[in-house]
């Protein structure tokens, strides 16, 4: 259908409804909703951005054009088998599919990287160029010089990033990465405390059994908006809970509060560990731990006191296990948690972790700190949770470990209604995906250090950069990154730290020799590509997707069916990978002689027969084609996971070196003795969790005068990370503005609606300011994910760098990998602000 015809049809329908409502007869005056055209086709698709839910959507089309998108709403809405209603992002998929910056054909760069100057090329030229360069780089530098960067902008099942992994593994592999931009520090914190992966906390639904929720940066109502996500589980649990007290710790008053909380304690960013330690001090110094939880601590953990460390050291030393013997040599019983909190022994030269000490740092009063401690000690089922925001700090590992300690000290773990501080455990249905094979390259770098590895990869080691898979601590990676394949990935520029610095690295063609961007839109990162390959959008795709990693209590599968043929000259990641495989001589191995339809049928049968999916509603039909006609399949996963239940109540050993909760981590004691540290302030690894003053933190004396405001980043309802930024509807619905407290606004002479420049030594951005009591004085808050847009006239700001009029927060963030995870610290920022006249 032509756009003109579509608009005429819409107008006619609107007029029909209006005329009917104006008839004189009372019967005729009853509202009659307009009926859709009878020849409008319905297919099912899904919103696959990285929010954790993969919501299904119903797509209506006519004459080869998508006419509207609706959400799942036509079944009985009973919790547990409820409707999966997409948020505003999923409902705007038609606008995103037809966005003005949609990529239409393969292109090659003709200007400098970053200029955005390209000319169209054929698919054959694109595939041969990419395949030829891969072949030559592998021959000259080896497969470790090939890197597929971290990308999570499209959570497909079949035509996904897995296709590129399959291609690379057929030609000798590529450099791998570990970790991710969201959870790196908390993953390491959980691993070295509980032997878990940071998402093994009690299921959100069990919150209904709790009597006290203590949330640090916990904001599911904005981050997990889906009608079947964690946010919905959270709201349902609050409604069912009886007498639950909710205390939220956050610099910003979020939508997860708005009257649902009992108290909001605004805290200075990066100081949550100090608060946790003050609470611990009150629990210990009052005698409560000795009277209530010391038996639990002694039985289930190592490191509370010196005696427990000495006993574990002796066990390791006598084990005959070479690694454990190394651990024993590195462990120091003087470095125990009790002495640290109470400022005794090795820590006698430090101030005890009192509420008075913490109040000066956190901005939370002594009285409020004491109240939180009293509530925790009085609780029989405390549900403690550290949101991922606290881990994305300069030493976020320490912050998360400090919060985890509160559940250990309370001694109530293993009870329904309690949780250990980790993110809630989620279950999902099984969905088969294209097999990728085995990567012969064993080395892995941190997801975050790729930009450094472009020029310094050949010298990076386990000791200096935490690389895994090398022979020993000092064996270097041995090569720099020469080719980057970026698919569904804004971390190439927009979501990576220090955009201006990263842009300079990418511009230098003596470093990375080929950058390929596979996406649907001309993102800021795509402008730095040498070859652009346009992907098909979800509404043009046949695929099979599950409910992702944070869909809550209910699992589901969507059998996606293309509503329209791929527009312009776009191809799926599977098709593109197959073409490159052909160019490299492994096309037959890649496809195995199967068509896309045959692959999807095979994967559907594996999905259909998996035991995890038994009891799905409606039942899976016999073929994938039939499944596409039904579209959507649901199952109540009945998940009531209780954190550490098997360990506390069932005697199951944890996956830590000791098999217990490690307050004093054996692995971190070893890393502290063997890894390179102290490159910058706060770049330290300690065996026990310790509040650490870092660069750009609240207590950083080196930067607080020049950049007096702390900048807190957060996730907005108008984007998932950077996805959906190019949808005008969402830019109108959720303004990209910096929040500022009225006290600061008066000092800076700004009012709501003013344009301000925020800057530091890394960059300058221009944004609108909004004055609100929903952010702590001394802190400004800006939603992350806005697209970097340098001033077209090259205007520079107070930083000396080009002004980013797009307002991307990563124009201001620092590239400095965290000590343990080598993860991103992109919530640790100090800035100055001025009104733009």
């Amino acid at each position: 259908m032509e756009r003109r015809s579509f608009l005429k049809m819409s107008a006619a329908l609107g007029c029909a409804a209006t005329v009917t409502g104006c008839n004189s007869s009372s019967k005729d005056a009853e509202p009659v909703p307009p009926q859709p055209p009878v020849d409008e086709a319905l297919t099912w698709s899904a919103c696959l951005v990285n929010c954790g839910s993969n919501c299904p959507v119903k797509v209506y089309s006519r004459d080869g054009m998508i006419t509207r998108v609706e959400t799942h709403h036509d079944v009985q809405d009973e919790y547990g088998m409820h409707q999966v209603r997409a948020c505003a992002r999923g409902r705007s998929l038609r606008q995103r599919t037809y966005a003005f910056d949609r990529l239409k054909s393969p292109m090659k760069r003709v200007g400098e990287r970053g200029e955005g100057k390209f000319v169209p090329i054929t698919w054959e030229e694109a595939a041969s160029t990419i395949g030829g360069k891969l072949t030559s780089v592998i021959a000259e530098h080896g497969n470790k010089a090939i890197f597929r960067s971290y990308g999570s902008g499209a959570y497909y099942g079949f035509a996904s990033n897995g296709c590129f992994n399959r291609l690379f593994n057929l030609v000798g592999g590529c450099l791998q990465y570990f970790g991710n931009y969201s959870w790196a520090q908390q993953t390491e914190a959980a691993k070295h405390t509980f032997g878990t992966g940071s998402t093994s906390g009690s299921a959100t639904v069990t919150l209904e059994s709790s009597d006290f929720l203590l949330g640090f940066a916990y904001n599911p109502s904005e981050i997990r908006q889906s009608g079947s996500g964690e946010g919905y589980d959270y709201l349902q649990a609050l409604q069912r809970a009886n007498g639950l007290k909710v205390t939220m710790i956050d610099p910003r008053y979020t939508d997860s509060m708005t009257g649902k909380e009992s108290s909001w304690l605004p805290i200075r960013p990066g100081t949550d560990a100090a608060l946790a330690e003050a609470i611990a001090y009150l629990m210990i110094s009052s005698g409560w731990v000795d009277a209530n939880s010391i038996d639990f601590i002694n039985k289930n953990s190592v490191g509370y006191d010196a005696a427990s460390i000495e006993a574990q050291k002796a066990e390791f030393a006598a084990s005959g296990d070479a690694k454990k013997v190394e651990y024993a040599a590195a462990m120091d019983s003087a470095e125990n948690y009790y002495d640290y909190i109470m400022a005794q022994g090795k820590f006698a030269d430090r101030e005890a972790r009192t509420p008075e000490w913490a109040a000066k740092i956190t901005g939370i009063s002594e009285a409020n700190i004491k109240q939180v401690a009293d509530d925790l000690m009085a609780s029989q089922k405390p549900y403690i949770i550290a949101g991922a925001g606290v881990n994305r700090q300069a030493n976020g590992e320490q912050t998360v470990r400090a919060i985890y300690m509160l559940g250990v000290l309370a001694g109530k773990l293993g009870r329904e209604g309690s949780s250990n501080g980790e993110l809630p455990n989620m279950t999902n249905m099984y969905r088969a995906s294209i097999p990728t094979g085995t990567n012969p390259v064993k080395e892995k770098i941190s997801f975050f250090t790729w930009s450094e590895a472009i020029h310094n990869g050949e010298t990076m080691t386990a000791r200096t950069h935490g690389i895994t898979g090398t022979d020993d601590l000092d064996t270097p990676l041995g090569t720099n990154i020469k080719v980057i394949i970026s698919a569904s990935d804004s971390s190439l520029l927009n979501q990576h730290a220090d955009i201006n610095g990263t842009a300079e690295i990418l511009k230098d063609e003596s470093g990375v020799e080929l950058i390929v961007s596979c996406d649907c839109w001309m993102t800021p990162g795509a402008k730095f590509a040498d070859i652009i390959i346009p992907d098909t959008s979800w509404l043009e795709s046949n695929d099979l997707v599950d409910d992702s990693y944070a869909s809550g209590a209910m699992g589901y599968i969507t059998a996606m069916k293309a509503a329209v043929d791929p527009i312009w000259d776009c191809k799926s990641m599977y098709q593109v990978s197959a073409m490159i495989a052909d160019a490299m001589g492994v096309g037959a191995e890649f496809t195995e002689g199967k068509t896309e339809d045959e692959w999807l049928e095979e994967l559907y049968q594996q999905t259909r027969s998996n035991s995890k999916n038994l009891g799905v509603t409606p039942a899976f039909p016999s073929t994938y084609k039939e499944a596409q006609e039904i579209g959507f399949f649901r199952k109540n996963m009945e998940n009531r996971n209780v954190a550490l239940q098997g360990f506390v109540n069932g005697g199951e050993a944890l996956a830590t070196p000791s098999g217990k909760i490690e307050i004093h981590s054996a692995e971190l004691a070893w890393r502290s003795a063997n890894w390179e540290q102290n490159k910058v302030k706060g770049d330290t690894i300690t065996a026990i969790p310790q509040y650490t003053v870092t660069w750009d933190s609240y207590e950083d004396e080196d930067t607080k005068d020049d950049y007096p405001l702390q900048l807190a980043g957060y996730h907005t309802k108008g984007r998932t990370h950077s996805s959906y930024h190019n949808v005008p509807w969402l830019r109108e619905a959720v303004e990209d503005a910096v929040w500022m407290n009225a006290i600061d606004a008066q000092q800076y002479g700004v009012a709501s609606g003013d344009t301000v420049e925020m800057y530091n030594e890394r960059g300058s951005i221009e944004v609108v300011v909004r004055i609100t009591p929903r952010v702590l004085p001394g802190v400004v808050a800006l939603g992350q994910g806005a697209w970097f847009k340098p001033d077209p006239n090259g205007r520079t700001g107070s930083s000396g760098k080009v002004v980013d009029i797009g307002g991307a927060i990563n124009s201001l963030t620092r590239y400095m990998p965290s000590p343990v995870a080598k993860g991103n610290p992109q919530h640790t920022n100090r800035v100055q602000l001025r009104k733009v006249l």
Side-chain angles (χ1 to χ4, degrees):
M1 178 188 291
E2 293 182 353
R3 182 174 182 271
R4 182 184 303 171
S5 299
F6 172 68
L7 293 174
K8 288 172 64 177
M9 177 193 75
S10 300
L13 288 172
C15 289
T18 303
V19 171
T20 302
C22 293
N23 283 345
S24 58
S25 164
S26 60
K27 181 178 179 180
D28 290 340
E30 294 177 2
V32 178
Q35 298 299 311
V38 294
D39 58 346
E40 199 175 36
L42 165 65
T43 54
W44 285 86
S45 188
C47 174
L48 304 180
V49 288
N50 182 10
C51 75
S53 288
N54 282 2
C55 288
V57 291
K58 297 192 295 184
V59 186
Y60 292 87
S61 60
R62 183 184 182 193
D63 297 337
M65 181 173 179
I66 299 162
T67 53
R68 57 194 173 100
V69 172
E70 292 189 3
T71 189
H72 179 240
H73 59 74
D74 50 1
V75 295
Q76 184 175 352
D77 192 23
E78 181 178 343
Y79 185 65
M81 286 293 284
H82 43 272
Q83 297 170 2
V84 185
R85 298 188 293 273
C87 73
R89 297 177 298 224
R91 298 178 196 224
S92 69
L93 270 170
R94 180 182 182 277
Q95 285 68 31
R96 192 174 189 234
T97 301
Y98 293 136
F100 72 95
D101 54 358
R102 180 75 189 270
L103 298 172
K104 299 176 176 64
S105 68
M107 295 188 289
K108 69 177 179 181
R109 174 174 61 87
V110 293
E112 294 183 359
R113 283 185 183 153
E115 279 191 291
K117 294 180 179 179
F118 298 89
V119 296
I121 57 175
T122 65
W123 277 106
E124 290 70 25
E125 182 180 351
S128 64
T129 301
I130 297 168
K133 191 63 176 181
L134 287 170
T135 300
S136 65
V137 165
I138 290 170
E140 182 177 356
H141 301 283
N143 288 77
K144 286 185 289 187
I146 310 300
F147 185 67
R148 184 186 69 74
S149 56
Y150 174 85
S152 64
Y155 266 42
Y156 283 103
F158 165 62
S160 66
N161 263 317
C163 296
F164 288 108
N165 293 343
R166 179 179 175 85
L167 165 66
F168 295 147
N169 292 344
L170 286 171
V171 295
C174 64
L175 179 61
Q176 303 181 72
Y177 61 81
F178 60 85
N180 61 58
Y181 282 82
S182 295
W183 295 347
Q185 289 94 311
Q186 70 182 43
T187 298
E188 287 290 317
K191 173 184 176 182
H192 301 304
T193 306
F194 304 120
T196 55
S198 85
T199 57
S200 298
S202 296
T204 312
V205 294
T206 66
L207 185 58
E208 67 187 20
S209 302
S210 177
D211 54 6
F212 180 49
L213 166 61
L214 179 58
F216 292 81
Y218 184 51
N219 184 21
S221 294
E222 289 181 272
I223 296 173
R224 312 278 191 226
Q225 293 180 75
S226 164
S228 187
E230 181 186 349
Y232 190 61
D233 283 352
Y234 168 70
L235 293 175
Q236 290 287 328
L238 290 184
Q239 292 174 16
R240 295 192 302 275
N242 182 22
L244 174 68
K245 184 169 187 177
V246 177
T247 296
M248 292 294 207
I249 315 294
D250 204 300
R252 193 174 66 96
Y253 188 75
T254 71
D255 284 9
S256 294
M257 297 181 233
T258 57
K260 298 181 282 293
E261 82 289 358
S262 306
S263 61
W264 168 46
L265 302 180
I267 189 170
R268 292 173 179 136
T271 67
D272 302 79
L275 173 61
E277 290 176 3
I279 296 169
Y281 175 87
L282 290 169
M283 297 175 77
I284 295 169
S285 63
S286 67
W288 187 91
V289 167
D290 284 340
N292 294 276
S293 62
I294 193 65
D295 290 343
F296 175 92
I297 293 168
N298 289 339
K299 177 184 177 183
N300 295 298
S301 70
V302 175
Y304 179 73
D305 55 23
S308 66
I309 299 173
E310 285 296 334
Q312 192 62 58
K313 282 184 64 174
E315 182 181 320
F316 282 163
S319 68
D321 182 300
K323 190 63 178 178
K324 289 184 177 180
V325 171
E326 287 188 46
Y327 286 153
M331 294 169 70
D332 179 5
S333 61
E335 194 171 351
N336 65 80
Y337 189 75
Y338 180 90
D339 284 353
Y340 168 70
I341 294 295
M342 303 304 294
Q344 298 180 8
K346 179 179 179 178
F347 304 100
D349 61 340
R350 305 189 188 190
E351 190 174 351
R353 279 21 201 168
T354 64
E356 181 183 9
W357 165 81
K360 298 173 185 176
I361 298 168
T362 63
I364 298 175
S365 70
E366 292 180 56
N368 281 333
I369 294 172
K370 291 175 182 177
Q371 184 63 59
V372 176
D374 287 345
D375 289 341
L376 181 56
M377 290 185 284
S379 172
Q380 295 304 304
K381 300 174 182 179
Y383 193 109
I384 300 167
I385 183 166
V390 298
N391 98 122
R392 292 189 286 271
Q393 298 282 349
N395 200 327
E397 297 94 339
Q398 294 283 41
T399 299
V400 176
R401 292 175 70 212
I403 294 170
Y404 287 168
M405 277 305 305
L406 297 180
V408 178
L409 292 178
K412 309 282 175 42
L413 298 176
R415 303 181 184 181
E416 179 162 314
S418 295
S419 196
N420 63 341
E422 294 187 59
L423 292 179
N425 172 261
M426 301 281 177
T427 59
N428 60 341
M429 292 179 68
Y430 170 81
R431 179 262 302 151
S433 56
I434 189 167
T436 59
T438 301
N439 192 338
V441 175
K442 301 305 179 186
E443 292 90 342
K444 294 183 180 181
I445 65 171
S446 161
F447 69 95
F448 189 59
T449 58
W450 64 267
S451 58
E452 188 174 354
I454 289 173
H455 290 296
N456 301 318
E458 58 186 2
T459 61
M460 291 165 64
T461 67
R463 191 186 303 277
T464 61
H465 290 81
I467 291 175
T468 65
T470 54
D471 292 339
D472 54 42
L473 283 172
D474 297 309
T475 299
L477 180 63
T479 187
N480 296 335
I481 292 174
K482 294 296 181 181
V483 175
I484 295 177
I485 306 293
S486 169
S488 305
D489 168 27
S490 276
S491 69
L492 184 63
L493 187 77
N494 208 80
Q495 299 305 97
H496 194 56
D498 187 7
I499 284 177
N500 288 301
T502 302
E504 291 304 311
I505 294 172
L506 295 178
K507 286 177 184 177
D508 181 3
E509 295 184 46
S510 71
V512 61
E513 297 174 7
L514 176 68
I515 300 173
V516 177
S517 177
C518 176
D519 214 315
C520 294
W521 304 274
M522 183 60 81
T523 65
K527 294 177 181 178
F528 285 79
D530 300 301
I531 300 290
I532 288 179
I533 45 182
D535 191 13
T536 51
S537 77
W538 308 324
L539 306 192
E540 301 154 19
S541 300
N542 298 297
D543 216 312
L544 190 67
V545 298
D546 64 6
D547 48 313
S548 198
Y549 58 87
S551 61
M554 193 174 71
Y556 42 90
I557 294 283
T558 306
M560 294 167 55
K561 183 177 181 180
V564 294
D565 291 334
I567 57 179
W568 294 296
D569 194 15
C570 301
K571 293 185 184 297
S572 71
M573 281 189 255
Y574 174 80
Q575 293 169 318
V576 172
S577 298
M579 291 185 72
I580 299 171
D582 270 337
M584 299 183 75
V586 293
E589 293 90 337
F590 182 87
T591 64
E592 296 182 12
K594 302 170 189 172
T595 65
E596 285 193 62
D597 285 345
E598 289 170 336
W599 270 113
L600 285 165
E601 183 63 37
E602 180 179 313
L603 298 177
Y604 172 72
Q605 294 303 332
Q606 294 173 19
T607 301
R608 176 176 175 248
S609 61
N610 187 272
S611 60
K612 192 174 183 180
N613 295 347
L614 293 176
V616 67
T617 300
F620 286 126
S622 59
T623 68
Y624 174 66
K625 293 293 186 185
E626 292 173 299
Q628 285 181 297
E629 297 307 311
I630 297 172
F632 189 58
F633 307 85
R634 300 177 296 160
K635 178 183 177 181
N636 188 335
M637 302 305 287
E638 303 290 351
N639 177 27
R640 300 196 71 86
N641 177 74
V642 174
L644 302 182
Q645 185 174 42
F647 167 68
V648 174
N649 303 321
E652 300 172 6
L654 297 178
T656 56
S658 65
K660 296 181 178 181
I661 298 169
E662 294 199 0
I663 301 171
H664 179 107
S665 165
E667 170 68 20
L668 292 184
W670 180 86
R671 291 191 191 183
S672 179
N674 289 282
W675 278 21
E676 187 177 290
Q677 300 175 66
N678 300 312
K679 302 182 186 76
V680 292
K681 183 184 297 183
D683 182 40
T684 57
I685 302 172
T686 59
I688 59 172
Q690 297 183 26
Y691 166 70
T692 305
V693 177
T694 71
W695 54 268
D696 271 20
S697 65
Y698 172 72
E699 292 194 275
D700 181 20
E701 297 295 335
D702 296 333
T703 53
K704 65 172 15 179
D705 290 338
D706 289 338
Y707 306 112
L709 295 168
Q710 286 188 279
L711 172 60
Y714 64 92
H715 291 60
T716 84
K717 298 183 291 295
R719 282 185 298 268
T720 298
H721 307 303
S722 63
S723 297
Y724 283 101
H725 178 79
N726 58 337
V727 177
W729 278 10
L730 296 175
R731 300 286 60 74
E732 294 172 8
V734 183
E735 183 183 30
D736 287 315
V738 61
W739 289 12
M740 192 177 201
N741 189 277
I743 294 173
D744 296 320
Q746 184 175 19
Q747 177 182 343
Y748 281 86
V750 298
S752 278
D754 286 345
T755 298
V756 298
E757 178 195 2
M758 282 200 303
Y759 63 94
N760 55 28
E761 61 186 8
R762 296 177 286 277
S764 297
I765 65 174
E766 281 187 358
V767 288
V768 171
V769 66
R770 293 297 172 191
I771 311 307
T772 175
R774 291 179 62 172
V775 66
L776 182 69
V779 177
V780 287
L782 180 67
Q784 63 92 27
W787 285 10
F788 173 66
K789 185 178 181 181
D791 184 274
N793 298 316
R795 180 169 52 98
T796 57
S798 303
S799 64
K801 307 290 176 62
V802 64
V803 174
D804 170 18
I805 60 175
I809 195 172
N810 288 320
S811 292
L812 306 172
T813 60
R814 183 177 184 179
Y815 173 80
M816 179 52 66
S818 65
V820 177
K822 307 305 178 187
N824 63 306
Q826 290 167 238
H827 284 347
T828 299
N829 302 289
R830 278 196 165 279
V831 296
Q832 183 56 282
L833 181 147
R834 70 173 186 87
K835 182 178 178 179
V836 176
L837 301 177

